[in-house]
Amino acid sequence: MVLTVAVLWDNWGDLLVPAKPSPVAAITATQSQIDQGRYLALAGNCMACHTTRGGTPLAGSRRIDTPFGGVYSSNLTPDPSTGLGRWNSQDFWHAMHRGRSADGRLLTPAFPYNHTSVVTRQDSDAIFAWLKSQPPVVQAQAAHTLVWPFGTQPALAVWRSLFFQPSPFQEDKARNAEWNRGAYLVQGLGHCAACHSPRNALGATGPVHDLSGGLMPVVNWYAPNLTQDAESGLASTPLPDIVRLLRTGASDTAQTNGPMGEVVQHSLQHLKEADLLAMAVYLQSRAQRATQPAPDAAKMARSNGQVSAQVATQGAKVYERQCLQCHGEQGEGMKTASGEVAYPALAGNRAVLLQDPTNLVQLVLYGGYGPATQGHPRPFGMPPAVLELHDHDIAAVLTHLRTQWGHQAGEVTTLQVNRIRAAQGN
């Protein structure tokens, strides 16, 4: 009874009071506002979720898989029957700030409204102005396929009471404008914590500033802890190199793959240099302030000296046959004639040394392909080995990488590889 009253009170304005049809006010947006809205939509990577593969941009109905079933994105074009044609800027602001549709429905948190609630009203209006300037497309949103009771309005109301509170951006007066701009982008439209924050059993992440890392459900990639230098390198990497990685997807010491590669390709590469630098400044400050953990004694104990002779021999053979030609005998990698990294060094590579080996297994199984960007238009790739290598081969070669060249990371087991392969349905 107490919980029911609390949920009703918490969602009174969003659940119990049906939204009345909003009059569509005349749009008098300036071209500069529309241009700013386009830029902000790129920063938020809106196109990625609201466009089906090969479909009309922003027309929605792309399936987003969750542990609780499928959610289909909405049509953001100004079509009056299936899109935003009957919405006004206030309706859009309610969706961004409260996670509530113009018809009063509570939206599923697959739309990261905890992060969009950070966005200012001015920026929300600019995004809406740009969306209203797009060609209308008739495409009704497909029905969600969430298992009961997930997706019902009462269940969403309970979830919101437990895990959602609008987080309008508050400047840190002790920081300069550049730092605050970076914080605004990372916490808001960038919604970095949507991936780089651990999720609980009900799919909720930490606060919008939580960058402590975690395994991304369904897609099964590990998003590194951005506050630990051992995982992200942000505290010790020069700012120009961080900016380069965000803009091109590659630097001398790192390369993006998987979901982060898609973010670089579809969003980050289009941002202004000043905004990328602001994000880098903010992220680096978070990593430098964080207390770095002590070395894991148990992990150290499972290092090179504890690997069986059979696994060590097998791993060395697979490396020589599959990896050495590109990554070098000592894991030194390979550069092009112009000095660009063609194949990254594996020796000292933070991705190799992550305690969670999920990303390494994914790369070996399904290949490594960096994003094609203006600053790095022809990235070298690594072919998939999903049909070529058995699980014990993959476990052995990854253990080889993690225990050679001074590395002291934990052994990768066949069971770990098997579980990751099974999670992807292969």
Side-chain angles (χ1 to χ4, degrees):
M1 181 62 180
V2 175
L3 176 61
T4 302
V5 172
V7 170
L8 293 178
W9 175 265
D10 199 37
N11 293 275
W12 180 265
D14 292 317
L15 182 64
L16 299 182
V17 181
K20 297 178 181 179
S22 302
V24 181
I27 301 299
T28 56
T30 64
Q31 187 60 48
S32 63
Q33 185 184 34
I34 292 173
D35 292 342
Q36 176 69 356
R38 176 183 179 277
Y39 177 79
L40 293 169
L42 283 170
N45 203 14
C46 305
M47 195 85 72
C49 289
H50 291 274
T51 307
T52 58
R53 295 192 183 278
T56 305
L58 299 171
S61 282
R62 177 170 180 175
R63 180 183 172 96
I64 301 167
D65 289 310
T66 78
F68 316 104
V71 173
Y72 289 86
S73 60
S74 55
N75 184 343
L76 297 186
T77 74
D79 176 65
S81 59
T82 64
L84 304 183
R86 299 182 186 276
W87 287 43
N88 61 26
S89 59
Q90 184 70 13
D91 297 326
F92 189 73
W93 167 249
H94 281 156
M96 295 278 279
H97 191 71
R98 295 291 309 178
R100 178 191 184 209
S101 177
D103 61 9
R105 289 177 300 109
L106 303 180
L107 302 174
T108 68
F111 170 50
Y113 46 77
N114 56 334
H115 290 279
T116 59
S117 73
V118 174
V119 176
T120 65
R121 179 59 190 262
Q122 181 180 7
D123 283 351
S124 173
D125 287 352
I127 295 171
F128 182 68
W130 177 70
L131 292 173
K132 292 286 280 187
S133 73
Q134 301 305 295
V137 178
V138 179
Q139 182 164 292
Q141 180 181 8
H144 302 327
T145 56
L146 295 166
V147 297
W148 190 89
F150 301 102
T152 65
Q153 292 293 290
L156 288 171
V158 171
W159 190 95
R160 290 160 61 94
S161 293
L162 292 172
F163 305 119
F164 171 63
Q165 191 64 240
S167 306
F169 184 69
Q170 299 291 330
E171 285 193 2
D172 185 340
K173 300 299 183 183
R175 297 284 186 169
N176 63 23
E178 183 177 52
W179 187 95
N180 278 291
R181 175 64 175 174
Y184 174 71
L185 290 170
V186 167
Q187 295 173 18
L189 289 172
H191 57 284
C192 300
C195 293
H196 290 276
S197 176
R199 292 183 179 268
N200 64 22
L202 292 177
T205 63
V208 295
H209 60 268
D210 183 353
L211 301 173
S212 58
L215 188 66
M216 300 167 63
V218 182
V219 296
N220 208 29
W221 282 80
Y222 175 75
N225 184 340
L226 298 184
T227 68
Q228 285 188 12
D229 195 59
E231 290 199 9
S232 69
L234 287 169
S236 57
T237 301
L239 286 172
D241 289 346
I242 299 175
V243 171
R244 179 182 166 197
L245 181 66
L246 296 176
R247 188 182 68 249
T248 70
S251 70
D252 288 340
T253 58
Q255 181 172 320
T256 59
N257 286 281
M260 187 61 194
E262 294 180 11
V263 171
V264 171
Q265 183 167 0
H266 299 300
S267 175
L268 293 177
Q269 71 160 318
H270 302 292
L271 299 194
K272 300 171 184 175
E273 190 84 2
D275 279 342
L276 292 176
L277 180 58
M279 295 173 73
V281 165
Y282 170 73
L283 291 170
Q284 185 175 79
S285 76
R286 292 288 310 279
Q288 288 174 338
R289 267 189 320 189
T291 301
Q292 301 304 316
D296 188 329
K299 182 176 70 174
M300 300 283 281
R302 295 193 301 271
S303 65
N304 192 19
Q306 301 299 317
V307 175
S308 71
Q310 180 181 359
V311 170
T313 300
Q314 182 182 9
K317 287 182 178 179
V318 175
Y319 183 84
E320 182 178 1
R321 185 174 70 247
Q322 301 285 141
C323 316
L324 186 148
Q325 183 176 358
C326 296
H327 293 287
E329 186 174 351
Q330 299 300 317
E332 69 273 19
M334 182 185 299
K335 292 188 175 183
T336 66
S338 61
E340 292 287 322
V341 175
Y343 301 105
L346 300 177
N349 190 312
R350 289 183 301 275
V352 171
L353 302 175
L354 284 174
Q355 187 166 355
D356 188 324
T358 297
N359 294 355
L360 286 178
V361 176
Q362 289 270 37
L363 287 169
V364 174
L365 283 173
Y366 307 111
Y369 302 98
T373 61
Q374 186 173 359
H376 195 213
R378 296 181 181 85
F380 289 76
M382 184 176 79
V386 62
L387 301 178
E388 185 175 357
L389 295 179
H390 296 290
D391 291 350
H392 57 84
D393 291 322
I394 296 173
V397 73
L398 293 181
T399 297
H400 177 79
L401 301 185
R402 290 159 67 85
T403 56
Q404 295 298 304
W405 315 308
H407 294 171
Q408 294 182 319
E411 179 179 356
V412 179
T413 68
T414 301
L415 180 59
Q416 286 176 302
V417 178
N418 181 260
R419 285 175 173 171
I420 295 167
R421 186 194 288 262
Q424 300 299 114
N426 292 292

